Amino acid sequence: MTSGADAHGALPEPEEAEALFGDALPVVRHYVDLLAHTGVERGLIGPREVPRLWDRHVMNCAVVEELIPKGAEVIDVGSGAGLPGIVLSILRPDLSVVLLEPLLRRTVFLRECLGELQLPNASVRRGRAEEVKEELRADIVTARAVAPLTRLTGWALPLLRKNGSLLALKGEQAAAELESARGDLLKQRPCVADVIRVGQGKVDPATTVVRVTVTSESGLATQPGSKRGQGGRKKRGRKR
């Protein structure tokens, strides 16, 4: 475990980081330094999280790459400070990653990170998922600490191609959250969902991911319900 920055201001990484990141480790170190300093100064990272940046945040995100096919197009919804989107783009140069974030101060930080880290396979898009669903499509959508699962899937599933997956990094209650949300997921778009733990032997504890894979080309399953809902609201409006 890391305990704090060294005398030069750098945050020492766990021994496991070298095996996990390999040749990409120097770039990851630079990113962690940006998070620990600029990220904290701008309020994107809480000061108390700095000693845990490697273990709880960066390495926790990195192992999600096990679930992403080669050459995939990825949208990181609610990217925030770039977790997991920037970590994945560093570790997997074969990926094309869009960091989707609505808040200006966060997009400014993300663009600065991409420039500092020289990551040509990643780009920043300011906006919300529901605003770009007619423009962007991806094989994978990632999200970490964005929203409860039912709300998150409402934003993420329209961005996915057929057989694409939402990979939502969740905590210990992931299985219970998925079970309570299953009915709503199927109303949004035909899909299958499961809970996976990745990074066994690489990070401790392993990272818990709720994976939701869409099984149709479009969200046709949601459209009839949506139309009925809109019609119902209009009728009630006329009565009032």
Side-chain angles (χ1 to χ4, degrees):
M1 297 288 292
T2 56
S3 58
D6 63 20
H8 301 287
L11 197 66
E13 70 269 10
E15 294 179 1
E16 299 85 354
E18 185 172 1
L20 181 58
F21 292 108
D23 293 341
L25 184 56
V27 183
V28 180
R29 286 182 184 136
H30 192 171
Y31 176 53
V32 171
D33 185 63
L34 289 170
L35 290 174
H37 295 89
T38 308
V40 171
E41 291 166 5
R42 299 187 189 177
L44 277 70
I45 297 292
R48 294 182 180 180
E49 293 302 310
V50 171
R52 302 188 289 185
L53 279 174
W54 279 101
D55 305 90
R56 183 172 178 174
H57 298 284
V58 173
M59 294 175 66
N60 177 269
C61 289
V63 295
V64 176
E65 70 90 15
E66 298 176 12
L67 303 176
I68 303 178
K70 185 175 178 60
E73 294 183 333
V74 179
I75 300 174
D76 187 31
V77 169
S79 193
L83 298 164
I86 286 182
V87 177
L88 295 172
S89 63
I90 295 172
L91 192 59
R92 292 281 301 276
D94 60 293
L95 303 178
S96 176
V97 181
V98 175
L99 308 174
L100 183 63
E101 170 56 49
L103 295 185
L104 177 60
R105 65 187 177 90
R106 293 176 180 172
T107 59
V108 169
F109 175 77
L110 291 172
R111 289 191 174 97
E112 289 175 1
C113 284
L114 297 190
E116 287 269 346
L117 303 174
Q118 299 183 21
L119 296 175
N121 62 325
S123 62
V124 179
R125 174 70 181 267
R126 185 183 177 195
R128 302 180 185 278
E130 58 267 36
E131 297 170 346
V132 302
K133 64 182 180 180
E134 301 301 327
E135 304 173 45
L136 300 182
R137 285 292 181 275
D139 307 299
I140 298 290
V141 171
T142 56
R144 182 176 189 263
V146 173
L149 189 59
T150 301
R151 197 188 317 163
L152 176 60
T153 53
W155 299 332
L157 298 192
L159 300 175
L160 288 166
R161 300 186 178 101
K162 182 180 179 180
N163 299 321
S165 296
L166 164 66
L167 304 178
L169 283 71
K170 290 287 185 177
E172 296 179 355
Q173 301 302 313
E177 186 178 357
L178 174 58
E179 286 309 307
S180 65
R182 279 189 187 277
D184 289 329
L185 302 192
L186 292 173
K187 292 176 185 177
Q188 293 173 9
R189 189 170 176 183
C191 61
V192 294
D194 56 356
V195 175
I196 308 170
R197 288 176 173 79
V198 293
Q200 303 279 0
K202 298 178 181 178
V203 294
D204 185 22
T207 301
T208 302
V209 177
V210 175
R211 178 174 59 184
V212 183
T213 301
V214 298
T215 56
S216 71
E217 190 62 44
S218 67
L220 293 177
T222 69
Q223 292 174 4
S226 298
K227 290 178 180 178
R228 286 195 295 270
Q230 291 169 2
R233 287 193 294 271
K234 288 179 181 177
K235 288 179 181 178
R236 288 193 296 271
R238 286 194 294 271
K239 288 179 181 178
R240 289 197 298 269

